[in-house]
Amino acid sequence: MSSKVTVPKIEGSKVRNGADPLVMVTAYDAPSARVASEAGVDMILVGDSVAMVVLGYDDTLQVTVDDMAHHVAAVARANPDPLIIGDMPWMSFHVSVEETVRNAATLIRAGAQCVKVEGGRKRIKMIEAIRAAEIPVIGHVGLTPQSANVMGGFKIQARDAHDVRRTIAAAKGLQAAGCFAVVVEGVPDLAGEMITDAVDIPIIGIGAGANTDGQVLVYHDVIGLENRFKPRFVRRYGTAYEDQVASIAQFTADVRERNFPGPDETYKTNEALAEALGLYGSQPK
Ligand code: KIV
């Protein structure tokens, strides 16, 4: 039986019905997709966070559909078992229904099995159109980084009762529009729990407390490769930044001290070639 995770395996996966919490991690290239797959996660999100985590931008607004397709394709080439989610970047689902569906299709043709769209009620029309093109969609509410300029930065959302109710209504609207899961980001834990209780599709939290149907984190945060700042909701499981600095520093020292390459890392010149070069009995320089 295939161990590939599919959309039907995810939708309906609710902790309250006895399911294990779902695990989603971002990945942006083939090696990280291989690692995520071997580690056994359920879903790989090729997130627009690639803009900040990998490409060095200050926000996620700088990446295009072509950028995202490039990274989705790299992940897909690793042929990982987890479900591959292509993140729809800012302005790829805001202009017209036709453009939106075409952009979603570009990510599917690059190798994603579904797409993720940020935003609540305002995005329903576009989500319905993507679904009508047979493309499964994940919603994303709460702190939506593509709205950072409107929100005044990367700020925790749903901080008052009105906003919590608005976010619950948004999640319900996304479910009604055909989303098979919703990411909820940056909300107080009670809001995360209430949103999870309010819908029958899985709620995947990031900074949304423990009582959701799953958790997502950015790959570079999990392995400790992103070491510049640590949001409260991140738990670092590794020291990849320090480990990599140590590896490259050791390589640097070995080259400078003429410890690299050693005999085992060298293609030896055979005697026939040495003789032909008139160097038999001595090592060629
Ligand atoms: O792009 C991303 O990494 C995301 C996650 C934070 C959910 O949208």
Side-chain angles (χ1 to χ4, degrees), residues 158-176:
R159 294 198 79 106
D160 59 42
H162 171 75
D163 230 27
V164 172
R165 287 193 195 100
R166 202 176 51 80
T167 313
I168 292 172
K172 284 182 171 173
L174 293 173
Q175 171 175 260

Side-chain angles (χ1 to χ4, degrees), residues 24 26 28 45-50 53 60 68 87 116 118 140 143 145-146 183-185 204-206 216-218 233:
M24 183 192 291
T26 67
Y28 317 107
L45 170 63
V46 187
D48 63 354
S49 52
V50 68
V53 178
T60 60
M68 294 308 302
D87 212 1
K116 178 170 81 59
E118 283 189 17
H140 183 160
L143 196 177
Q146 292 172 11
V183 168
V184 177
E185 179 169 358
I204 316 297
I206 174 163
V216 50
L217 283 178
V218 166
F233 58 81

